[in-house]
């Protein structure tokens, strides 16, 4: 009994001091680790008040708690939030595919403990969703449902935080939800890309917090601030975000990484990026070419190439990339932007008329009519998935039951409920399921080699 009381007191003390220690509790990120290694690494970030404190992080390897390299801090002073600090530690020498305990200490006392799930070499599960961070009950329901699927990682296809991806919006609309009840962000890394709502915005100093709050591979095109293709920040307005982002701005907008048998190519698809420009296209071609050895190649963007919703129907500026993706054997392209779920048949596309941004890109389609994802599972062409039903208000619900409103190559269109994608990856098989907030299956396909 006495031991029980002591334990309870210790737990309460840890809980209380943890609450007081963090503005945002520790969350895992892939960091600048695009390629798996025999000893894996993960970044751990957390936010604190703007004061000097002695932070240390330890990882338990075997029976030993191993101190990690010193914690680095960046200060973010962008109103309306008071200045705060973004602390970062890199957890090193982690065994792949393992649950690794770690703990965070402030002034020598443990204030946070969790177990990190590290990248797996083989079969694994991830969750994908987009257009989520609006702080709504729907977003929370989706968050709860995907945490129950116990993914190895979560990938968010943009529009991470509404209304404008601001630091001040991240706490209620992102961290409170995904770190809230399940503490999933402390257990598995979240990866993502900037949607149009995560781009710099003229009115707000704290917009584009993506670059300061996330830590992802820095192997994308080597863009400098102000160059064509870089997120357009305004000097004097976005200085604080750029300073807090360090080398992540503007480079972290696009990147690639390997996870098990998949090579992921992640592209900033905002209208300020011209993927047809020689420098950017060269990076993209080289990235896809170098990934030839991967069993699967998957592309993630915010703006879909092919989709049927009336809303954003003409946001087709990525379509000219389809032949390049096809040439390099991309199996799936995931997008958001459109707030519903859609799946195409396997497609090939040759553009014939490329107009200005926001106008339709016309071309010739070749559709694989035999693939059904059940008995015929080897697609000829790329399957395009829109998974933008992660929390924000849904678009074009009425089209769900009006098949004549779908493009001829659309095979699934679910706009009457919120949902997320679960992808189970194996070397010779991808299993894709779209689940609702109760975990019920709305759509499912299997792809095989
Ligand atoms: Fe969007």
């Amino acid at each position: 009994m006495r031991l029980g009381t002591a334990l309870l007191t210790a737990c309460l003390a840890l809980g209380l001091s943890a609450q007081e220690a963090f503005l945002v509790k520790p969350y895992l990120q892939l960091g600048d680790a695009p390629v798996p290694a025999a000893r894996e690494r993960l970044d751990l970030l957390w936010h604190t008040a703007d004061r000097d404190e002695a932070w240390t992080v330890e990882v338990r390897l075997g029976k030993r708690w191993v101190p990690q390299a010193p914690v680095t801090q960046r200060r973010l002073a962008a109103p309306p939030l008071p200045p705060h600090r973004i602390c970062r530690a890199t957890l090193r020498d982690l065994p792949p595919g393992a649950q690794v305990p770690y703990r965070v200490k402030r002034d020598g006392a443990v204030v946070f403990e969790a177990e990190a799930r590290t990248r797996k070499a083989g079969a694994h599960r991830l969750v994908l969703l987009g257009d989520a961070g609006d702080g709504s009950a729907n977003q929370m329901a989706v968050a709860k449902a995907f945490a129950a699927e116990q993914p190895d990682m979560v990938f968010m296809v943009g529009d991470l935080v509404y209304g404008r991806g601001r630091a001040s919006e991240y706490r209620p609309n992102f961290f409170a939800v995904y770190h809230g009840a399940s503490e999933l962000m402390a257990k598995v890394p979240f990866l993502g890309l900037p949607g149009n709502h995560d781009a710099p915005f003229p009115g707000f100093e704290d917009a584009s917090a993506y670059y300061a709050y996330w830590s992802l591979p820095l192997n994308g095109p080597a863009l400098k601030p102000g160059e064509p293709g870089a997120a357009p920040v305004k000097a004097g307005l976005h200085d604080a975000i750029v300073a807090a982002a360090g080398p992540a701005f503007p480079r972290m907008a696009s990147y690639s990484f390997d996870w098990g048998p998949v090579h992921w190519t992640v592209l900033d698809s905002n209208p300020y990026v011209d993927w047809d420009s020689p420098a950017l296209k060269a990076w993209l071609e080289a990235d896809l070419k170098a990934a030839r050895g991967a069993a699967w190649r998957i592309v993630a963007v915010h703006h879909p190439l092919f989709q049927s919703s009336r809303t954003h129907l003409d946001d087709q500026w990525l379509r000219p990339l389809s032949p390049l993706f096809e040439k390099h054997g991309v199996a799936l392209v995931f997008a958001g932007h459109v707030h519903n779920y859609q799946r195409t048949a396997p497609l090939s596309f040759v553009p014939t008329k490329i107009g200005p941004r926001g106008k339709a890109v016309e071309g010739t389609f070749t559709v694989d009519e035999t693939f059904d994802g059940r008995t015929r599972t080897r697609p000829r062409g790329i399957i395009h998935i829109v998974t933008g039903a992660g929390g924000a208000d849904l678009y074009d619900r009425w089209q769900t039951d009006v098949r004549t409103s779908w493009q001829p190559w659309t095979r699934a269109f679910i706009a009457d409920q919120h949902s997320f994608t679960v992808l189970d990856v194996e070397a010779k098989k991808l299993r894709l399921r779209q689940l609702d907030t109760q975990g019920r299956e709305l759509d499912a396909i299997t792809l095989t080699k």
Side-chain angles (χ1 to χ4, degrees), residues 28 50 52 57 70 99 101 127 135 143 163 172 174 184 186 206 229 355 381 400 423 443:
L28 291 168
D50 185 23
D52 291 330
V57 174
Q99 300 264 122
V127 155
F174 192 85
L184 188 63
D206 64 336
T400 304
L423 192 64
D443 187 38

Side-chain angles (χ1 to χ4, degrees), residues 131 159 196 302 337:
D131 308 83
D159 285 2
N196 51 305
H302 182 62
H337 195 46

Side-chain angles (χ1 to χ4, degrees), residues 328-370:
H328 291 285
V330 170
L332 292 165
V333 175
F334 285 97
H337 195 46
V338 180
H339 299 181
N340 49 43
Y341 168 72
Q342 299 180 47
R343 169 172 63 83
T344 71
L347 297 180
S348 307
F349 178 76
V350 180
T352 52
K353 191 179 159 207
I354 303 169
R357 299 268 148 136
K359 295 280 179 209
V361 175
E362 293 167 18
T364 315
F365 288 88
T366 308
V367 180
D368 177 356
E369 300 286 1
T370 59

Side-chain angles (χ1 to χ4, degrees), residues 11-273:
C11 288
L12 279 174
L14 179 64
L16 283 174
S17 80
Q19 244 172 26
E20 174 238 341
F22 302 110
L23 295 171
V24 172
K25 285 186 287 183
Y27 56 99
L28 291 168
Q29 294 278 279
L30 181 60
D32 192 13
V35 182
R39 309 304 288 171
E40 280 284 355
R41 51 181 273 196
L42 284 167
D43 273 7
L44 185 71
L45 280 74
W46 63 95
H47 305 178
T48 71
D50 185 23
R51 58 174 177 248
D52 291 330
E53 292 166 318
W55 290 98
T56 50
V57 174
E58 295 170 348
V59 165
R60 201 175 77 204
L61 299 173
K63 289 184 176 164
R64 226 160 53 85
W65 283 101
V66 180
Q68 301 297 293
V71 172
T72 59
Q73 299 189 4
R74 287 180 190 276
R75 186 170 182 267
L76 177 57
L81 287 180
H84 59 283
R85 296 195 193 180
I86 304 154
C87 300
R88 180 192 308 230
T90 300
L91 316 182
R92 292 180 193 277
D93 295 329
L94 312 175
Q99 300 264 122
V100 185
Y102 66 89
R103 62 190 184 190
V104 179
K105 290 180 171 177
R106 184 184 58 170
D107 298 329
V110 176
V111 284
F112 190 82
E113 286 185 87
E115 283 193 4
R117 200 170 304 164
T118 59
R119 178 161 47 186
K120 277 183 187 161
H124 62 275
R125 168 176 291 181
L126 68 138
V127 155
L128 295 112
L129 69 153
D131 308 83
D134 68 346
S136 64
N138 290 323
Q139 182 200 4
M140 282 182 208
V142 170
K144 199 172 155 205
F146 77 65
E149 296 300 313
Q150 303 196 331
D152 294 299
M153 65 114 150
V154 175
F155 194 98
M156 309 189 89
V157 289
D159 285 2
L160 308 162
V161 171
Y162 291 97
R164 287 291 160 195
R166 301 169 65 188
S168 52
E169 293 166 334
Y170 259 83
R171 286 187 208 166
N173 294 354
F174 192 85
F175 292 117
V177 177
Y178 300 121
H179 213 323
S182 68
E183 291 203 335
L184 188 63
M185 295 198 83
K187 299 170 188 163
V188 304
F190 278 47
L191 289 82
L193 57 84
N196 51 305
H197 285 264
D198 308 302
F201 194 73
F204 302 121
E205 289 180 50
D206 64 336
S208 233
Y210 168 80
Y211 296 96
Y213 283 173
W214 294 67
S215 177
L216 297 164
L218 300 178
N219 61 349
L223 292 170
K224 299 214 165 37
E227 282 186 348
V233 291
K234 211 169 156 189
L237 180 69
H238 298 122
D239 294 356
I241 285 286
V242 172
F249 186 84
R251 193 160 187 179
M252 202 173 69
S254 302
Y255 57 94
S256 68
F257 66 99
D258 292 344
W259 195 298
V262 181
H263 177 78
W264 289 83
T265 304
V266 181
L267 306 180
D268 179 3
S269 58
N270 275 300
Y272 54 76
V273 189

